[in-house]
Amino acid sequence: MIEAMIEAVGDDGVMMVAGLLVGLLFGAAAQHSRFCLRASIVETAHSQLGAKLAIWLLAFTSAVMFVQIAILADILDVSGARQLSAVGSMSGAIVGGLMFGVGMILARGCASRLLILSATGNLRALVTGLVLTLVAQASLRGALSPLRESIGGLWLIDGGETRNLLTVLGLDTIAVVGLAGVVMMGALWLAVVRKVRWSHALGAVLVGFAVSLGWGLTYQIAQVSFEPIAIQSVTFTGPSTDTLMAFVNQSAVVYDFGIGLVPGVFVGAAMMALLTGEFEIQRFGPEVKMERYLLGAVLMGFGAMLAGGCAVGAGMTGGSIFAITAWVAVFSMWMGGLAMVYWSERCVPLVITFRR
């Protein structure tokens, strides 16, 4: 089937279709489940192990389980993925992750959450997401790229086994699937205790499945293509910049996985919001400090490019294949977010509040 599609629309066209399908699933599932790392961090900072944390854990462990089961079944090989094979930056993962975590709290959502909220009519998220994307582009190829390269070059690690956390820890795939299963059962128990709706829990699992689907589809395309295809999965900062630049700075759009992913997520989230009656136009108002959102967008845009991806791209997608820099990045995002909530609510409570 994939071979026939490649003959009909070419390698790039098939990759775009794969991105679109994954994006539709991710967008609809993330919108319905309220999947959000920022909300989980705020909840944890308030010493609450609640519904939002349960949703995030279900999504994360599902991504790990589905990907590792596919590897165990010999239908997926991620050794050639950029997150494992290329040189990685530990300094970038740490500094970028901390910056992203702080920015995520200020902007009330990570890159994926802002995209999904934009699709539900949230104009604050739309403006914040555009600023994030522009800063990310400047960090990747523009005026901020020398600073990013300087910080990222402070501590580099080689690709291959050095960057594979499983190799470093001496764990095999079977053990990882077992551990992920235990954590997932714990997340399900927490979801039941906190009275999470079953459809929201299912949506969280589908968010994780979408990550594994991205890896699986791109791997299968790479196996039958005559051209070299980079296997990849869900991430937002890089694809968002590519999508924006494709439509504002290029006369012809070059199709790839990201060009399908970003519109797919937007459409999937919008359709789910319309079906559930949750679509609502939301604007900046006197009680909503725009400067807080813009500062958060700047920190996330630069931080994501430094860390090698956003909360989903570096965290879940890279984490599901156990890239050591991805786990360091997502841990740093948690630490940055927790520190920001603690500092703002205990030191300057009148300036910024974060409860929904």
Side-chain angles (χ1 to χ4, degrees):
M1 179 180 177
I2 294 178
E3 295 94 328
M5 291 182 64
I6 289 176
E7 291 180 2
V9 299
D11 298 304
D12 295 338
V14 173
M15 286 290 284
M16 186 192 73
V17 172
L20 179 64
L21 293 174
V22 171
L24 287 169
L25 175 60
F26 185 97
Q31 162 57 22
H32 185 65
S33 66
R34 311 299 197 273
F35 167 75
C36 180
L37 176 58
R38 176 253 173 207
S40 305
I41 290 174
V42 172
E43 190 176 67
T44 304
H46 294 151
S47 301
Q48 300 172 5
L49 300 180
K52 297 177 178 64
L53 179 62
I55 291 294
W56 187 83
L57 285 174
L58 281 173
F60 187 87
T61 54
S62 296
V64 171
M65 280 196 65
F66 286 128
V67 169
Q68 294 301 315
I69 288 173
I71 293 172
L72 191 62
D74 202 25
I75 57 175
L76 175 63
D77 180 4
V78 296
S79 59
R82 171 187 58 82
Q83 292 92 331
L84 290 175
S85 61
V87 174
S89 171
M90 291 291 281
S91 56
I94 295 169
V95 177
L98 290 171
M99 291 180 66
F100 192 95
V102 171
M104 179 171 54
I105 299 300
L106 290 172
R108 299 183 67 85
C110 65
S112 63
R113 188 61 182 163
L114 292 177
L115 177 61
I116 289 166
L117 288 175
S118 299
T120 68
N122 191 319
L123 301 182
R124 300 192 302 269
L126 178 62
V127 172
T128 307
L130 287 173
V131 173
L132 186 159
T133 302
L134 291 173
V135 173
Q137 178 67 14
S139 304
L140 181 63
R141 301 187 181 94
L144 295 176
S145 60
L147 178 60
R148 174 185 60 80
E149 292 169 358
S150 297
I151 298 174
L154 293 175
W155 183 7
L156 300 176
I157 59 171
D158 295 330
E161 292 186 353
T162 306
R163 202 173 173 185
N164 190 324
L165 186 59
L166 297 184
T167 302
V168 173
L169 296 178
L171 297 175
D172 59 22
T173 305
I174 296 176
V176 169
V177 171
L179 288 172
V182 171
V183 177
M184 189 174 185
M185 290 301 102
L188 282 172
W189 174 83
L190 182 60
V192 171
V193 170
R194 297 306 181 188
K195 296 181 172 57
V196 174
R197 290 171 54 184
W198 71 266
S199 61
H200 289 182
L202 176 60
V205 173
L206 289 176
V207 167
F209 177 73
V211 171
S212 68
L213 182 63
W215 284 122
L217 287 178
T218 57
Y219 175 73
Q220 293 303 320
I221 295 169
Q223 292 299 103
V224 300
S225 174
F226 289 107
E227 300 295 330
I229 298 291
I231 65 170
Q232 56 193 291
S233 189
V234 182
T235 187
F236 290 98
T237 315
S240 294
T241 63
D242 292 341
T243 303
L244 180 62
M245 293 301 106
F247 286 103
V248 303
N249 196 39
Q250 298 175 17
S251 58
V253 176
V254 178
Y255 297 139
D256 61 14
F257 184 83
I259 291 292
L261 175 71
V262 174
V265 170
F266 188 91
V267 172
M271 291 176 61
M272 180 59 69
L274 290 170
L275 286 172
T276 56
E278 296 172 339
F279 186 92
E280 179 185 1
I281 298 296
Q282 298 181 51
R283 305 174 178 86
F284 286 103
E287 73 287 353
V288 179
K289 297 184 181 299
M290 185 176 182
E291 61 271 21
R292 186 193 75 183
Y293 285 79
L294 298 183
L295 176 59
V298 171
L299 291 171
M300 279 197 291
F302 186 78
M305 288 294 103
L306 192 56
C310 61
V312 173
M316 286 181 60
T317 297
S320 67
I321 62 173
F322 284 86
I324 191 169
T325 47
W327 282 76
V328 170
V330 75
F331 176 78
S332 298
M333 290 174 190
W334 269 89
M335 293 301 100
L338 288 171
M340 186 61 198
V341 175
Y342 181 87
W343 177 80
S344 63
E345 295 188 349
R346 288 163 175 78
C347 300
V348 284
L350 299 179
V351 178
I352 306 173
T353 56
F354 296 105
R355 292 186 183 274
R356 291 187 183 276

